[in-house]
Amino acid sequence: MTKRQATLAASLPSWDATQTRILDAADALIATRGVRGVTIAELARRAGVSRPTIYRNWSDADDVVRAALLRRVIGILAGFDEPATTRAAIVDDVFRFTARFRADSVYRHLLAEEPEAFTRYTLERVGSSQRAILTWLAAAIDAAQDDGSVRRDDPQAMAVMMLLVTQSALLSHSTVSELIDEASWERELRAALEGLLRP
């Protein structure tokens, strides 16, 4: 494991068997009923645990939803073995991430059916999911700066802007689908990300 991988791994939480059952129940509820369908009572019933068990781990249903979304993001990030080390590889990885994100059953439901919930959980404040993504991006930017293909500036600040640009493009994707086809959407987003990183 590289130093950058170790830094990313150390920044990510893990869940025990009981917590995993509760988060699995949350995933199923979000994907089928939406965020409003996630209640402590329903989580307890689906996970086969008591309500106090849930409250020992999370403060309320909203807290469980945030943990479930974080776990989904970590699952996507786990699919990347090594951090990118060049500008081109970073942009490719961002697109691989967005493809997996859009294919994820929970996030696909939020983007298509509950964009206001997606906004609340991902855009209104920087939460654990965004911090995990930022750590991943900043590590890649730092490595690509050593390679010389990314401009020398604060990797964290650059990661934040990459996240903002990509999140906005994802959230607006369906809104502008009549104005721009998929290939053009990808081309223009690639150009924006490349321009942000280019020396």
Side-chain angles (χ1 to χ4, degrees):
M1 179 181 289
T2 66
K3 182 180 177 183
R4 292 183 179 97
Q5 285 177 303
T7 299
L8 178 58
S11 71
L12 302 178
S14 58
W15 295 273
D16 63 28
T18 299
Q19 292 168 330
T20 296
R21 279 170 38 213
I22 295 165
L23 295 177
D24 286 344
D27 286 346
L29 286 168
I30 296 168
T32 56
R33 297 187 188 178
V35 170
R36 291 181 190 87
V38 181
T39 65
I40 295 297
E42 189 61 20
L43 285 167
R45 188 185 71 77
R46 286 197 175 224
V49 299
S50 67
R51 294 184 197 190
T53 297
I54 297 174
Y55 282 119
R56 276 196 295 273
N57 292 281
W58 294 285
S59 59
D60 54 25
D62 189 66
D63 202 21
V64 178
V65 169
R66 291 187 188 281
L69 296 179
L70 171 60
R71 190 176 65 142
R72 308 297 290 193
V73 164
I74 289 174
I76 296 171
L77 291 176
F80 294 86
D81 296 329
E82 290 281 343
T85 57
T86 67
R87 182 179 73 246
I90 291 173
V91 175
D92 285 345
D93 276 359
V94 168
F95 273 88
R96 275 194 286 275
F97 181 93
T98 58
R100 293 172 189 176
F101 187 90
R102 290 167 67 190
D104 180 89
S105 59
V106 170
Y107 278 110
R108 184 175 62 239
H109 170 86
L110 289 179
L111 284 167
E113 305 297 332
E114 296 186 274
E116 74 289 346
F118 179 86
T119 299
R120 178 158 53 93
Y121 286 104
T122 63
L123 299 180
E124 287 185 357
R125 69 184 180 96
V126 177
S128 300
S129 297
Q130 289 89 345
R131 292 187 190 282
I133 296 168
L134 289 172
T135 300
W136 173 67
L137 283 173
I141 290 168
D142 182 53
Q145 286 175 333
D146 291 342
D147 168 76
S149 59
V150 168
R151 64 184 166 87
R152 287 281 178 189
D153 216 323
D154 178 9
Q156 181 71 17
M158 295 167 74
V160 168
M161 191 53 62
M162 286 192 77
L163 178 64
L164 287 174
V165 169
T166 307
Q167 277 187 160
S168 298
L170 276 173
L171 185 58
S172 303
H173 184 268
S174 60
T175 307
V176 299
S177 60
E178 293 182 4
L179 304 175
I180 187 170
D181 61 34
E182 186 75 17
S184 298
W185 179 86
E186 178 172 334
R187 183 187 66 244
E188 296 306 320
L189 179 54
R190 274 186 182 278
L193 296 177
E194 284 268 356
L196 194 154
L197 297 173
R198 187 174 292 113

